[in-house]
Amino acid sequence: MRNISGKNIYLIPYAIYILLFVVAPIALVFYYSFFDMNQQFTIANYEKFFTATYLKMTLSSFWYAALITFFSLLVAYPAAYLITKLKHRQLWLLLIILPSWINLLLKAYAFLGIFGTNGPTNAFLETIGIGQQQLLFTDFSFVFVSVYIFIPFMLLPIYNALEKLNPSFVYASLDLGASPWTTFKRVVFPLTIDGVKAGCLAVFIPSLSLFMITRLIAGNRVITLGTAIEQHFLVTQDWGMGSTIAVFLVIIMAIMMFVLGGQKVGASK
């Protein structure tokens, strides 16, 4: 019993951290969601969320988050697989992770120049005869920049899953006459599905609440729940409505983590 009590002492700092920086902020957001701009108690914020405007915004957020997650997976999985086959894999992994150390705002401003009218991308398009294109403030630029930013978060879990994959399973499949594509579909991908799930969660959840990129890269043409939260807190000063949207975001994220986590537990049993 003394050993158990002694071990629990080391959990106290972690418990305090969770209470102060996770539980308390969520509780505070939930509390503010029941007040209007005049600090009067109301449930009108929740009623307003289920109107056509906010439901459309929610669907739009899910759509763009799904696109960003899909293209991130499309790029990150082959890249992770290729890195596991390279000699200096740690160096290549570092080169992919390195851009994530740069401030997000700086990367967003860099793409303003890259996709700008007089930027290198338009210069290349003119060289090959396509001519200047409006690349900034479009859905393409928003998704492209978002995928670029989130690729490391998708790649790392997949890379770890591929590293843990027992190569004897792949050799056995090939020896039994399976094609490389069949081996990937029936052996490699199913055995690394946990890494794919972790990567999709790491990308999809923050993609739902993007707001800086929607303003700088998409020129507010793309409106997400994150954009709405920013507008309510910083522009309209309607903290109640902003908190209500944040509450629903937290609920959506919790449901997704529970569902995918439950599937993993079920699979492991």
Side-chain angles (χ1 to χ4, degrees):
M1 293 293 292
R2 288 181 179 177
N3 278 337
I4 294 174
S5 299
K7 289 179 180 178
N8 288 339
I9 291 175
Y10 295 104
L11 294 176
I12 293 176
Y14 176 74
I16 292 174
Y17 177 87
I18 292 296
L19 285 172
L20 289 178
F21 299 106
V22 178
V23 177
I26 291 176
L28 192 62
V29 166
F30 184 71
Y31 170 78
Y32 274 114
S33 68
F34 288 100
F35 290 88
D36 59 18
M37 295 181 68
N38 298 318
Q39 299 302 310
Q40 299 296 318
F41 181 85
T42 180
I43 61 169
N45 293 327
Y46 286 89
E47 295 174 352
K48 189 177 179 182
F49 183 83
F50 288 100
T51 59
T53 300
Y54 287 96
L55 289 178
K56 183 179 179 181
M57 195 180 300
T58 303
L59 290 175
S60 175
S61 298
F62 270 89
W63 169 247
Y64 283 110
L67 279 179
I68 293 166
T69 304
F70 172 75
F71 285 114
S72 297
L73 178 61
L74 204 62
V75 174
Y77 201 106
Y81 187 81
L82 179 62
I83 290 173
T84 60
K85 305 299 180 183
L86 297 177
K87 184 177 180 180
H88 303 290
R89 62 186 69 175
Q90 297 301 327
L91 174 62
W92 287 103
L93 198 63
L94 177 63
L95 291 175
I96 291 175
I97 297 171
L98 198 61
S100 65
W101 299 352
I102 302 172
N103 184 273
L104 178 61
L105 186 61
L106 291 177
K107 288 189 284 189
Y109 273 112
F111 273 101
L112 289 178
I114 293 171
F115 285 155
T117 305
N118 299 316
T121 305
N122 265 314
F124 173 75
L125 292 177
E126 283 188 341
T127 302
I128 62 176
I130 296 177
Q132 285 191 356
Q133 301 293 320
Q134 177 59 44
L135 299 175
L136 281 176
F137 314 131
T138 61
D139 291 359
F140 163 78
S141 61
F142 170 68
V143 173
F144 185 94
V145 175
S146 300
V147 169
Y148 164 78
I149 289 169
F150 284 119
I151 277 177
F153 301 97
M154 178 69 77
L155 188 142
L156 281 174
I158 296 174
Y159 173 82
N160 290 332
L162 287 168
E163 274 283 277
K164 295 176 183 177
L165 178 66
N166 190 337
S168 61
F169 293 124
V170 179
Y171 298 146
S173 175
L174 294 172
D175 288 342
L176 290 171
S179 66
W181 170 247
T182 302
T183 300
F184 171 77
K185 186 173 64 174
R186 297 291 181 87
V187 179
V188 177
F189 189 77
L191 291 176
T192 57
I193 193 65
D194 285 342
V196 173
K197 287 180 181 178
C200 288
L201 274 177
V203 173
F204 188 86
I205 288 176
S207 295
L208 284 173
S209 54
L210 285 173
F211 69 91
M212 184 188 300
I213 299 175
T214 59
R215 180 182 294 275
L216 293 176
I217 303 298
N220 279 341
R221 288 188 70 257
V222 176
I223 304 297
T224 64
L225 292 177
T227 310
I229 293 173
E230 182 209 18
Q231 291 291 317
H232 283 304
F233 273 97
L234 300 181
V235 180
T236 65
Q237 298 293 309
D238 189 353
W239 288 21
M241 195 61 220
S243 298
T244 302
I245 300 171
V247 166
F248 278 101
L249 266 179
V250 170
I251 292 172
I252 291 167
M253 295 172 186
I255 290 173
M256 290 185 61
M257 293 180 69
F258 176 78
V259 169
L260 290 179
Q263 287 178 356
K264 183 178 178 180
V265 171
S268 64
K269 288 181 180 179

